[in-house]
Amino acid sequence: MRSKLFVAFLLVIALALLSNLMFGHRIMKDFAAYEKGTREDHIYWIIASVESGYSHGGWNMRSLESSLRWAAMLRFDCRVEDLSGRTVMSSAQAVNLLGEAMRIRMQIVQPESKGAPPYENYPLFHMGNQIGTLAIRDITAPADSPLRKKEHIFKQRGRQFLITSFVIAGGGALFLAVVLSQFLSRPVRELKRAAETLAGGDLSVRLRGTGADEIGKLKAAFNAMAEALQREDSLRKRLTSNVAHELRTPLAVMKARIEAMMDGVIEADRAGLESLQAELDSLTRLIGSMEDLTKAEAGFLKKSPPEKVLLREFLEGIVTGMEPLFMDKGLKLEIAGGQELPVFTEPEKLEKVLKNVIKNAANHTMEGGVLLKYGFEGAMFYVEVKDTGKGMAPDELGRIFDRFYKGKDSKGFGLGLAIARELIEVMGGSITAQSRPGTGSVFRIVLPRGKER
Ligand SMILES: Nc1ncnc2c1ncn2[C@@H]1O[C@H](COP(=O)(O)OP(=O)(O)O)[C@@H](O)[C@H]1O
Ligand SMILES: [Mg+2]
């Protein structure tokens, strides 16, 4: 990652350099073109000015003088020749005709004798007839003349500007490349290390700096994952020890019975075998509950599509199935309200949950009975199971949904409500309990009303 970032930054620098060079080249070229264009304009003006100094078949010397002086000031060395090739006036002469002070000032634009370029010749016209020739060439001012210096300084400044801007841009980019590649890749390296620690089995590793930016969110997600893993891990450990504990008791009982039978302490008759079978049944039920729990957990991955369920009819079916259990104990099992409510849900899961909760209520109720209530609540529907049983103290109430939690007088494994909560959560709902010792308990299941698919 770091090296990739670095390469990316180097690429940026290279692009900056390239564009810099390209623009530098363009600017210099444009400047040369501009200079050339200006020079051509100047020559044209001089020609026009000189031509206007000719009238009535002769040269107006004053006008010519000022034209050629302008030529000199525009940095041209020139002379006007008539048709026979005789020099009428040269720019040098025009300058020399100036006063002393002006002449000294104009010296700076005097032609340099050595290395001067050849003259270019332009024909001069008056009313369509050639009247002479203008021989003109650039004044190559000496290298140390202020003019040359100015020009030199201008070009130098241009180059300096390009170089400085490149150094600043390139240097800045390089600096940023180093700093940013370090800065950006640090949290990634941190994450990598943490992931390795996690993979190594240390589930307590957490990352700091879970800010609002992407990296911060990634860190938060990592922490959440580590937390979930740790929770799962401790749950698994507890589960294993709970299962071992639940298995040990009936197995120990069976072992003792069988040994006693073999030793002839108790008789290996039908009653003895039946008690062994009861222990085996209990073990089978435990395995069944464990399977339910595992299935419910796997349901997280596989959520079956909701089916249309008529709530009243559905609850009546459950009541019919469970009535014998209540009648045996002289308890009532009733449904409040007669309204039919259609919902879309997973009936198998809901039935399993309700049977678990209703059975609990029957187990813990001595007189009175159980009342089922149902209804809509916004986008949700609820089913309440209210009993007139012994109720629960707050500290017990807080633990009843834990796996393997069971009350002192329970004959089960303490898995029923754990399974119920797992299933309800898979269905996107919630199950809660309210209770007061001596008064009874209310279990409330809330689920989405759902939509037809
Ligand atoms: N309706 C209820 N009234 C009183 N206590 C209850 C009721 N339902 C559940 N409990 C308590 O919650 C515990 C856990 O219930 P559950 O998970 O179904 O396990 P189990 O029924 O196997 O004991 C029970 O052992 C009991 O102590
Ligand atoms: Mg139970």
Side-chain angles (χ1 to χ4, degrees):
M1 162 127 178
R2 218 177 340 166
S3 50
K4 273 186 197 148
L5 272 173
F6 203 75
V7 169
F9 276 114
L10 285 185
L11 217 66
V12 170
I13 297 171
L15 277 174
L17 178 62
L18 200 71
S19 67
N20 205 311
L21 285 177
M22 262 162 57
F23 274 107
H25 183 69
R26 283 296 307 247
I27 288 170
M28 288 303 168
K29 230 172 96 178
D30 286 351
F31 181 67
Y34 163 79
E35 260 187 333
K36 189 163 167 269
T38 321
R39 180 176 178 275
E40 278 163 7
D41 281 353
H42 287 172
I43 292 175
Y44 175 77
W45 294 341
I46 293 164
I47 291 171
S49 168
V50 167
E51 280 173 344
S52 71
Y54 187 88
S55 59
H56 310 299
W59 295 95
N60 176 340
M61 294 311 264
R62 284 197 73 84
S63 161
L64 206 56
E65 186 192 325
S66 80
S67 297
L68 291 182
R69 212 179 288 143
W70 273 111
M73 280 192 271
L74 290 170
R75 297 174 59 210
F76 290 103
D77 170 27
C78 55
R79 57 171 193 276
V80 175
E81 291 168 2
D82 62 14
L83 284 173
S84 63
R86 193 180 57 87
T87 300
V88 182
M89 193 184 288
S90 70
S91 54
Q93 284 167 344
V95 169
N96 280 331
L97 288 171
L98 287 169
E100 176 74 12
M102 271 305 273
R103 202 164 54 232
I104 288 168
R105 285 193 70 79
M106 291 294 286
Q107 291 299 320
I108 56 167
V109 293
Q110 284 291 354
E112 192 186 28
S113 42
K114 277 180 293 172
Y119 284 99
E120 295 161 47
N121 292 311
Y122 292 89
L124 298 166
F125 291 96
H126 178 69
M127 301 180 59
N129 301 315
Q130 189 169 359
I131 48 170
T133 314
L134 178 75
I136 191 163
R137 65 177 181 183
D138 292 328
I139 291 173
T140 42
D144 59 348
S145 77
L147 256 166
R148 283 287 284 273
K149 271 188 196 152
K150 270 186 206 160
E151 202 179 272
H152 179 70
I153 285 169
F154 176 81
K155 285 193 171 146
Q156 209 181 19
R157 283 280 145 77
R159 268 196 302 275
Q160 275 172 356
F161 166 74
L162 288 175
I163 291 169
T164 326
S165 69
F166 172 70
V167 167
I168 290 173
L174 195 71
F175 175 75
L176 280 178
V178 175
V179 171
L180 278 183
S181 62
Q182 282 287 336
F183 176 75
L184 285 178
S185 68
R186 200 184 59 200
V188 175
R189 274 175 289 146
E190 220 176 292
L191 266 162
K192 178 174 166 277
R193 264 202 307 276
E196 280 166 359
T197 314
L198 200 70
D202 178 6
L203 302 179
S204 66
V205 52
R206 297 288 182 278
L207 290 166
R208 267 175 305 166
T210 53
D213 59 355
E214 278 80 357
I215 294 281
K217 281 182 191 153
L218 190 62
K219 282 180 175 177
F222 178 89
N223 285 351
M225 180 189 74
E227 208 142 287
L229 279 175
Q230 203 176 20
R231 221 177 320 117
E232 263 326 293
D233 189 54
S234 80
L235 209 63
R236 187 180 50 79
K237 283 179 182 150
R238 242 190 11 241
L239 197 72
T240 317
S241 87
N242 280 331
V243 171
H245 175 80
E246 290 298 327
L247 286 173
R248 190 172 297 124
T249 318
L251 283 176
V253 172
M254 285 165 75
K255 187 172 186 288
R257 290 245 168 92
I258 291 169
E259 274 172 9
M261 283 179 191
M262 285 169 85
D263 293 349
V265 180
I266 57 171
E267 245 179 282
D269 58 3
R270 187 174 177 87
L273 287 175
E274 269 172 2
S275 77
L276 278 179
Q277 198 183 26
E279 294 298 334
L280 269 176
D281 282 348
S282 158
L283 279 177
T284 312
R285 268 190 292 123
L286 173 63
I287 305 296
S289 297
M290 298 287 305
E291 245 168 24
D292 280 349
L293 199 60
T294 321
K295 269 195 216 141
E297 280 176 334
F300 257 115
L301 308 169
K302 214 176 81 213
K303 196 168 180 287
S304 44
E307 287 168 37
K308 183 172 181 174
V309 172
L310 298 172
L311 211 47
R312 166 104 203 165
E313 196 183 298
F314 175 74
L315 292 177
E316 275 169 358
I318 291 176
V319 166
T320 310
M322 298 194 78
E323 244 165 2
L325 178 68
F326 281 76
M327 296 214 290
D328 284 353
K329 294 185 77 178
L331 298 170
K332 281 189 284 185
L333 176 59
E334 289 170 343
I335 307 174
Q339 198 188 357
E340 187 55 277
L341 299 179
V343 296
F344 292 89
T345 189
E346 298 172 55
E348 268 174 45
K349 285 181 182 149
L350 184 56
E351 183 176 338
K352 184 159 245 151
V353 171
L354 281 170
K355 279 185 173 168
N356 256 325
V357 173
I358 296 170
K359 207 152 130 197
N360 277 351
N363 285 344
H364 300 284
T365 306
M366 292 306 135
E367 57 188 42
V370 171
L371 182 67
L372 303 181
K373 276 195 203 168
Y374 63 95
F376 281 167
E377 210 176 54
M380 314 292 276
F381 73 89
Y382 70 89
V383 178
E384 260 179 26
V385 180
K386 184 178 180 345
D387 67 48
T388 53
K390 67 177 173 73
M392 290 170 274
D395 68 318
E396 183 178 17
L397 196 58
R399 297 169 61 193
I400 53 173
F401 292 104
D402 291 352
R403 291 167 191 195
F404 290 105
Y405 172 79
K406 57 185 184 188
K408 278 191 283 295
D409 48 357
S410 162
K411 292 189 199 74
F413 304 109
L415 288 173
L417 289 178
I419 293 168
R421 167 162 284 183
E422 203 80 55
L423 288 171
I424 291 293
E425 280 174 3
V426 171
M427 292 159 78
S430 63
I431 175 168
T432 50
Q434 277 183 323
S435 188
R436 234 190 298 155
T439 314
S441 314
V442 184
F443 283 81
R444 185 181 169 83
I445 294 160
V446 180
L447 284 166
R449 275 162 68 171
K451 279 195 284 282
E452 196 159 14
R453 287 221 277 192

